[in-house]
Each structure stands twice: as C-alpha cells, then as structure tokens.
Amino acid sequence: MTAADRAMAQLESWPNLVSGSPRCAVGRAFGTAGDEIVHFHSNDAADLHLTRAAIERLLPQLRLSTAIRVRPGASWITVLLDCDADIALLLTLVSVALKEHDAAHAGCAPPPCDWELPTIPSLRTAASPGPVAPDPVHRGMPSVWKTVGRLIPHGH
C-alpha cells in the first residue's frame, strides 16, 4: 500500500469529507459540498487547496518542509508522500484547509487545481538567494523531483 493509499484510507473516515473524481478528471479528490480540498493525482503526491491567505500566513513553516512544494501566488500546494510523517503533515494541512474553506469559501467554489502545470521545486542554496527558474524539460520525472527535494535544501 502506497503512502497515498494510506492517506486516502484515513481521509475516507473523516465525516465531513466525501471522495470522488476531481474537476480536472485525473486521480481522486476529497472535498466538502462542492469544494475540492485535496487531490491525489499520483501515488507519491497530493495537491491541497490551502487558500492563498493560509499559504501566505504559513509560508515560513511550509518552507521548512522538504515534502511541500509551493508555487508563488497559487492557492494549491503539493505535498510529496513518502513516509508516515508526510501523511501526518498532509492530514494536518487538510484540517487547516477545511477551516479555511469554512471561513473564506462559504458558497463559492475554489479555483481548479493547477496540476497540469509543471511542479518543479524551486531550489535555493546559501550562495543563491533566489529560486532557480523552472525547467519544463524535467516535467515528466516526479520521482526525481522528490528525491532532489529531499536531498537538496530548497526554498520558495
């Protein structure tokens, strides 16, 4: 059973979440009354609609995790799922997202996920304060991105 399977099994037991097909039609989604909260597009990652306000508020903490990918200005984040700690992190952030949706999105639909866009992590070293520009050539290698993200410190 993959980490994504274990996370989905736990989310199935949450009474305020329902599962189904995502609006982007790839993978499996969990949400509430029309709001999609989390999508599983692969066995090693989940996209989470955390909202821009929550991402901005939590950005310093999100940057500390090698399992999280944040795109500037996006309301969705990607959580790489490799171990039980990553699952626990995802479940915690799903809880935060549910509270954000209750407060900010009552009655209006969230934007669609941006999974189709390249999800290349921005890498930063002590010598280079800015992120490295995304390289669309590497779009088809998510396992490489995950490995690089875990081995090389990064920032967003």
Side-chain angles (χ1 to χ4, degrees):
M1 182 179 268
T2 67
D5 291 331
R6 293 193 310 271
M8 286 187 274
Q10 290 189 39
L11 290 171
E12 282 285 346
S13 69
W14 290 26
N16 52 346
L17 285 180
V18 294
S19 67
S21 297
R23 289 189 315 192
C24 60
V26 177
R28 186 168 170 200
F30 289 84
T32 62
D35 282 349
E36 293 179 6
I37 305 292
V38 62
H39 298 166
F40 293 86
H41 295 296
S42 68
N43 287 331
D44 61 358
D47 289 331
L48 176 65
H49 184 235
L50 197 52
T51 75
R52 284 187 184 151
I55 291 172
E56 288 175 14
R57 188 175 68 249
L58 297 172
L59 193 57
Q61 291 79 24
L62 295 173
R63 285 182 175 164
L64 297 175
S65 174
T66 60
I68 295 178
R69 302 295 181 264
V70 180
R71 287 190 193 96
S75 58
W76 290 80
I77 65 170
T78 299
V79 180
L80 303 177
L81 301 171
D82 188 43
C83 61
D84 289 338
D86 297 338
I87 295 169
L89 175 62
L90 174 67
L91 297 176
T92 300
L93 292 173
V94 168
S95 180
V96 171
L98 285 169
K99 289 182 182 188
E100 288 293 319
H101 281 261
D102 286 345
H105 291 287
C108 64
C113 81
D114 54 2
W115 178 74
E116 295 82 11
L117 300 175
T119 55
I120 300 168
S122 299
L123 300 178
R124 214 183 334 185
T125 64
S128 63
V132 174
D135 180 3
V137 173
H138 296 102
R139 187 170 190 271
M141 300 186 307
S143 61
V144 172
W145 302 332
K146 183 170 73 170
T147 301
V148 170
R150 296 220 186 265
L151 297 176
I152 300 174
H154 68 279
H156 304 279

